[in-house]
Amino acid sequence: MSDGKLADQFFDAAIDLLQRVRDEETESITAAGTLLADTVADGGRLFAFGAGHSSLAAQDVVYRAGGLALMNLLAVPGVVGVDVMPATLGSALERVDGLATAVLDSSPLRSGDALVIISLSGRNALPVEMAMSARTLGVKVIGVTSVAYATETRSRHTSGTYLRDHCDIVLDSKIAIGDATLTVDTIPAPFAPASTVVTSAILQAVMATAAGALAERGIEPPLLRSGNVDGGHDWNSRVMQEYGDRIFYQQ
């Protein structure tokens, strides 16, 4: 089988997943975008969290040209990505009970804020506990996960529950267990994961919905512009000054 053929198969698989999300998650995406707009309009702050490769989608909506300036990364040291040695440490930390509560206790999150939690499996202690603890604080939680894991795997949290069980809104990425989209006889393991492509698309759709919902209310969406276009830095400086008390990545 040619490499080009496999590339085509991956694109087809990713497009099929995106189409499923578009067809089946529209209502939830609209609700999530509206929730973020409500939070902004009411003076709340926005945060996103993901561990491991799920952190890529969280980072993608923070300090992003064309994105909402108010999106802040809720970082947990050691689990954001493969910037720790050994890389397996991040996976181990996701299973530690009590870590999420300690992080939230020292974070700026407060009642009235909104938190997007991204976890493909939604089964590890960290995202489950983070959602539970955040809601206890009065924070609205949007979960982005593959619901299939909750029906075909065992939870790693002491409660036996999953991320999806502790969210105000759940966005199902439709990713199959194991993430990889392709299999061929000559390659011994499945390959070509699509969760990053799909999850990032879901979140950008949510952000677009939030911006539109704010505009419909007569509120200028606090959007950032690219620093590589004329006037971009001046625009961003104005937005950050106006919303400085709700932006934490510039302090």
Side-chain angles (χ1 to χ4, degrees):
M1 179 175 294
S2 69
D3 292 342
K5 182 65 172 178
L6 289 175
D8 287 346
Q9 289 186 11
F10 173 74
F11 281 122
D12 288 342
I15 290 168
D16 286 346
L17 285 164
L18 290 169
Q19 188 64 60
R20 281 192 63 197
V21 168
R22 180 178 181 177
D23 292 344
E24 300 171 20
E25 296 298 306
T26 297
E27 184 175 342
S28 296
I29 288 171
T30 300
T34 302
L35 188 156
L36 294 187
D38 290 342
T39 303
V40 173
D42 293 340
R45 293 87 61 80
L46 310 179
F47 296 85
F49 167 78
H53 286 94
S54 290
S55 72
L56 295 175
Q59 294 176 58
D60 190 49
V61 295
V62 176
Y63 189 51
R64 181 66 188 265
L68 293 174
L70 273 60
M71 287 300 307
N72 299 279
L73 184 67
L74 183 62
V76 179
V79 306
V80 172
V82 292
D83 58 341
V84 294
M85 295 293 288
T88 51
L89 174 61
S91 297
L93 289 174
E94 287 187 67
R95 306 180 189 184
V96 174
D97 291 328
L99 178 58
T101 299
V103 169
L104 291 180
D105 286 346
S106 60
S107 78
L109 269 170
R110 67 188 183 192
S111 179
D113 292 345
L115 172 62
V116 179
I117 300 177
I118 304 142
S119 174
L120 178 59
S121 72
R123 67 188 296 222
N124 288 312
L126 183 56
V128 174
E129 181 186 333
M130 184 169 287
M132 294 172 70
S133 298
R135 293 184 85 188
T136 299
L137 291 173
V139 173
K140 296 294 186 181
V141 175
I142 298 170
V144 187
T145 186
S146 171
V147 171
Y149 279 84
T151 59
E152 300 179 44
T153 67
R154 179 177 299 177
S155 170
R156 289 174 175 152
H157 187 255
T158 54
S159 67
T161 60
Y162 298 78
L163 171 60
R164 72 164 191 176
D165 299 316
H166 305 285
C167 298
D168 295 279
I169 299 171
V170 176
L171 303 176
D172 184 4
S173 63
K174 316 296 181 181
I175 301 295
I177 292 177
D179 198 357
T181 59
L182 302 181
T183 57
V184 296
D185 294 340
T186 56
I187 299 176
F191 57 103
S195 60
T196 303
V197 173
V198 176
T199 303
S200 290
I202 289 173
L203 287 181
Q204 293 299 346
V206 170
M207 299 303 143
T209 301
L214 287 168
E216 288 177 357
R217 304 176 197 188
I219 301 172
E220 179 185 326
L223 297 169
L224 294 172
R225 290 192 174 187
S226 172
N228 296 313
V229 300
D230 293 342
H233 288 300
D234 291 338
W235 174 281
N236 293 341
S237 294
R238 175 184 65 82
V239 172
M240 290 185 181
Q241 182 175 7
E242 182 177 351
Y243 290 95
D245 60 334
R246 294 194 258 176
I247 298 173
F248 299 95
Y249 51 81
Q250 64 173 351
Q251 297 177 349

